[in-house]
Amino acid sequence: MHRRSVEDPEGFWGEIGRELPWIEPFTEVLDWSEAPVAKWFTGGKLNASAICLDQHLALRGEKKAIIWEGEPGDVREFTYRELHAEVGKFAAALKARGLKKGDRVAIYMPMIPELTVAVLACARVGAPHSVIFGGFSAQAIRDRVEDGDCSVVITADGGWRRGKVLPLKQEVDAALEGYEGVHSVVCVRRGENEVAWTEGRDCWYHELMDAVEEPAAPEPMDSEDVLFLLYTSGSTGKPKGIVHTTAGYMAGAYLSTRYVFDLREDDVYWCTADVGWVTGHSYIVYGPLANGATVVMYEGAPTTPHPGRFWELCEKHGVTIFYTAPTAIRTFMRLGDEHIAEHDLSKLRLLGTVGEPINPEAWIWYHKLIGGERCPIVDTWWQTETGGIMISPLPGVQVTKPGSATRPFFGVDAGVVDEQGQPVEDGKGGYLVIKKPWPGMLRGIWGDEERFKETYWSKFPGLYFPGDGAVRDEDGCFWILGRVDDVLNISGHRLSTMEVESALVSHPSVAEAAVVGMPDEVTGEAICAFVTPRKEIEDPDALEKELIIHVANEIGKLARPKEIRFTDALPKTRSGKIMRRLLRDVAKGAEIAGDTTTLEDYTVLAKLRGDEA
Ligand code: PRX
């Protein structure tokens, strides 16, 4: 199948595309004439919410679509029929508030069923959603709402996290202060916490729903109509709105969920990601629901109220497929194996990981302790930009290797090249590239076509460059080496060093800042910031704390530096560029390796290392 999928992609994808329920069939599988902007399944009309809901009513109406558990332990379940009704109603409510096809909607919510409802309701109306992870700060919300020109925001009063209610509506209020572009803020009641109210703009979800008379039918969308924007970090200070369209993205999410997770009718599938990230889009919402799967959704933190929380949920809900991140696995490894032994995990039959390279030690632990040495592990490599899984074992088909994402998925033609774009020998490191268009590929960066071409298509003309390094071994298995640009991967979340640097220099005490990643046992990578203060600092500890809070306010808690080192000067080249490579060595306490001949002032480096200069 794989050979066919890369030798005859149009034949292969044409068949897969026809498995989706179309309102009007497509006429052409791939139009690559405007490369690198692909068009897939052109001429057809469909609706993503109908793929996820309406098509299942006949055969799976009474099947559970969502089994949700809140952090405090409250459980809610939705059958496909119930979810369909809720989504149709909410879509109608949004239309009644004036939302139209093509308008953008920002969603800033806790992990509650209404988040999935909101996403699917937007798809039903044909209004692209832009989900903003609930951990982002007011400033980050504002940037995204403005960039996407969103006219509606959907949020909640609060959501449970680590035993407390996080006040989400409050962040939205702060984000929208002095901003006129949003006409409606829809608020779901969840946290029961006090919220401020802007009359005319704010409305309760439950009140809107009560007023609906007729649920909304799915809007017929063109294959290439935008389904969603999702912001992610690149190597500049400004996050980019990755654009995904309807048919290609859905075909990719549908097929990859089916094969990579070997989905069967009676599976109970749990992906622990947040819908605020692409993993949640493709593998909590669109992929599993397109396949009619039963999806477990959990609101809270993995270790609240006790370290065995995830395993308790697996046992209680009979989870058979479990998909999580290496950073979570490493956290559980440290918490101690006794929390696992207390729970019956015998229903599990397949495990997955995503977000960063998994170290073999964590892979083996996952295999033994969670998988009982019986469950295959699918280590899935992909990105926000790719829309769905690109490199992964097919369980039961391929021999897995701890630490390798193994082989390209159907339709994915991957390779490893050198600086000149020439293929490197197997076993040698290089740049990962994708050689052919695939249905779920991003169609652009919102409002910035040049940046799209420049970021992904200019390093190696004609090839998609994801920004990762890789090795392919003699068996054809890929080993992802991590980012080769200024993008950090903290607990599987992407952040650019420049974003954190701009946040730091926006503080009045900071003259200059350089941010690098340093290895961290749990989060994979952690942020180390080198900061040159404007004037002599009296209390470095106090300033360090203040700066950490400042970064959290500017971006969100996930961007907080683990360590801040104050320095009089940063190592620079003679032309004034900060030499991050040297700082990375300093941060990990390693010997300075490589060339330092372009360094302008050697004493700077000596001081940073703590040598007697
Ligand atoms: O560096 C790769 C790493 O995560 C990046 C994509 O991040 P994001 O768009 O936030 O999406 C994360 C979830 C799909 C990639 O460029 N990455 C993701 N999965 C893996 C990985 N690195 C190694 N192995 C993986 N399985």
Side-chain angles (χ1 to χ4, degrees):
M1 267 175 87
H2 188 267
R3 190 178 319 124
R4 167 155 189 248
S5 74
V6 288
E7 284 174 3
D8 175 22
E10 295 180 42
F12 177 86
W13 285 111
E15 275 170 30
I16 301 303
R18 276 185 283 277
E19 291 180 19
L20 300 179
W22 291 85
I23 300 170
E24 273 173 43
F26 57 91
T27 48
E28 193 182 6
V29 178
L30 169 65
D31 175 359
W32 190 227
S33 62
E34 285 166 42
V37 183
K39 293 195 184 104
W40 283 87
F41 308 110
T42 50
K45 290 205 187 291
L46 74 176
N47 184 288
S49 84
I51 299 175
C52 293
L53 302 169
D54 304 53
Q55 72 156 329
H56 301 310
L57 293 181
L59 292 175
R60 300 188 178 101
E62 311 322 314
K63 179 175 173 174
K64 281 179 203 165
I66 297 179
I67 303 175
W68 173 84
E69 182 152 339
E71 196 182 79
D74 40 341
V75 174
R76 289 165 69 196
E77 297 184 347
F78 291 74
T79 62
Y80 271 91
R81 196 172 308 289
E82 288 162 342
L83 189 60
H84 172 263
E86 189 85 1
V87 169
K89 230 169 138 181
F90 191 44
L94 289 170
K95 283 167 96 165
R97 283 293 299 194
L99 186 73
K100 293 185 306 297
K101 175 177 177 175
D103 294 348
R104 269 87 51 210
V105 178
I107 300 178
Y108 182 73
M109 287 175 77
M111 279 286 287
I112 54 177
E114 286 79 2
L115 171 52
T116 299
V117 171
V119 162
L120 292 173
C122 288
R124 202 163 186 85
V125 175
H129 51 77
S130 166
V131 185
I132 303 166
F133 171 62
F136 278 118
S137 69
Q139 186 57 49
I141 302 171
R142 172 66 167 263
D143 294 344
R144 286 158 178 75
V145 166
E146 271 195 57
D147 187 80
D149 194 10
C150 299
S151 55
V152 173
V153 179
I154 306 171
T155 186
D157 50 359
W160 287 91
R161 193 83 193 170
R162 287 181 225 288
K164 286 204 283 272
V165 171
L166 290 187
L168 296 170
K169 168 85 167 46
Q170 188 181 306
E171 290 298 311
V172 170
D173 288 337
L176 299 184
E177 217 167 280
Y179 186 68
E180 297 295 318
V182 168
H183 62 71
S184 297
V185 173
V186 183
C187 185
V188 177
R189 180 123 74 196
R190 163 63 186 156
E192 306 279 341
N193 47 317
E194 286 279 321
V195 288
W197 209 251
T198 303
E199 281 310 325
R201 185 195 71 179
D202 297 355
C203 40
W204 286 109
Y205 176 89
H206 57 272
E207 288 178 4
L208 290 188
M209 293 293 268
D210 284 347
V212 172
E213 285 168 8
E214 243 335 86
E219 184 71 31
M221 302 297 287
D222 278 348
S223 295
E224 285 299 334
D225 277 339
V226 176
L227 179 61
F228 65 86
L229 314 182
L230 185 56
Y231 285 80
T232 187
S233 299
S235 43
T236 73
K238 189 174 178 285
K240 44 196 181 183
I242 302 300
V243 177
H244 282 289
T245 57
T246 308
Y249 169 83
M250 286 306 296
Y254 160 72
L255 193 76
S256 54
T257 307
R258 182 166 112 202
Y259 280 106
V260 174
F261 299 111
D262 178 34
L263 207 60
R264 301 175 198 175
E265 200 55 55
D266 54 359
D267 273 317
V268 177
Y269 164 96
W270 183 20
C271 164
T272 70
D274 191 290
V275 174
W277 308 110
V278 75
T279 306
H281 282 58
S282 304
Y283 299 109
I284 296 178
V285 183
Y286 290 114
L289 296 180
N291 282 282
T294 296
V295 177
V296 171
M297 203 176 165
Y298 171 57
E299 174 184 37
T303 50
T304 306
H306 58 80
R309 182 68 160 141
F310 266 16
W311 321 121
E312 175 192 56
L313 289 167
C314 283
E315 176 178 359
K316 181 168 169 191
H317 300 296
V319 173
T320 57
I321 302 173
F322 181 74
Y323 188 33
T324 196
T327 184
I329 297 168
R330 291 191 298 263
T331 303
F332 291 120
M333 282 172 78
R334 283 162 66 114
L335 288 172
D337 300 351
E338 64 275 18
H339 307 293
I340 297 151
E342 291 163 8
H343 299 283
D344 176 9
L345 299 179
S346 61
K347 288 236 172 90
L348 285 174
R349 65 174 190 86
L350 181 66
L351 304 175
T353 72
V354 59
E356 55 176 312
I358 179 164
N359 45 316
E361 192 197 356
W363 194 103
I364 298 287
W365 181 91
Y366 195 33
H367 176 64
K368 286 198 174 147
L369 275 107
I370 306 304
E373 292 178 88
R374 116 196 132 252
C375 306
I377 296 180
V378 290
D379 171 358
T380 63
W381 176 87
W382 59 295
Q383 308 180 293
T384 305
E385 291 88 340
T386 67
I389 292 167
M390 299 292 277
I391 303 181
S392 167
L394 291 182
V397 176
Q398 276 141 12
V399 175
T400 51
K401 298 184 185 189
S404 167
T406 75
R407 288 161 188 277
F409 183 64
F410 298 125
V412 177
D413 194 357
V416 180
V417 300
D418 63 16
E419 196 64 45
Q420 279 70 44
Q422 296 307 311
V424 301
E425 272 171 61
D426 284 344
K428 295 240 159 69
Y431 300 101
L432 180 65
V433 291
I434 312 293
K435 299 185 254 181
K436 285 199 182 84
W438 66 99
M441 68 198 290
L442 77 163
R443 301 301 197 262
I445 294 175
W446 185 255
D448 199 344
E449 198 175 324
E450 264 325 293
R451 189 172 174 199
F452 165 61
K453 290 182 179 156
E454 165 66 31
T455 311
Y456 306 105
W457 302 94
S458 68
K459 189 167 172 74
F460 308 113
L463 302 175
Y464 172 81
F465 174 50
D468 281 313
V471 182
R472 186 171 60 190
D473 67 18
E474 305 68 41
D475 301 329
C477 287
F478 286 77
W479 299 73
I480 310 296
L481 303 173
R483 304 287 306 193
V484 295
D485 50 10
D486 287 327
V487 172
L488 304 173
N489 190 329
I490 316 291
S491 297
H493 302 320
R494 249 159 97 170
L495 274 174
S496 90
T497 52
M498 274 188 54
E499 245 173 301
V500 185
E501 286 164 8
S502 354
L504 284 166
V505 296
S506 70
H507 187 280
S509 309
V510 176
E512 199 173 32
V515 162
V516 295
M518 56 182 185
D520 184 280
E521 258 188 50
V522 175
T523 57
E525 218 173 0
I527 297 175
C528 178
F530 294 85
V531 167
T532 316
R534 281 194 189 277
K535 51 179 198 297
E536 190 88 20
I537 27 176
E538 279 151 26
D539 186 348
D541 289 344
L543 182 59
E544 175 166 6
K545 283 203 190 93
E546 197 177 313
L547 290 178
I548 290 175
I549 295 170
H550 179 70
V551 172
N553 288 338
E554 288 292 302
I555 306 175
K557 282 190 180 160
L558 72 165
R560 282 179 303 194
K562 184 168 183 194
E563 204 176 307
I564 295 187
R565 299 203 192 176
F566 294 106
T567 166
D568 301 338
L570 293 166
K572 290 185 184 167
T573 62
R574 292 191 185 108
S575 60
K577 275 177 90 174
I578 296 171
M579 296 182 80
R580 286 205 176 66
R581 176 167 59 77
L582 303 184
L583 291 175
R584 272 194 285 271
D585 289 341
V586 174
K588 64 175 176 223
E591 276 298 303
I592 306 288
D595 191 11
T596 52
T597 49
T598 50
L599 186 64
E600 192 208 24
D601 179 357
Y602 285 93
T603 61
V604 170
L605 201 58
K607 278 193 200 148
L608 279 172
R609 275 196 320 233
D611 297 357
E612 290 305 317

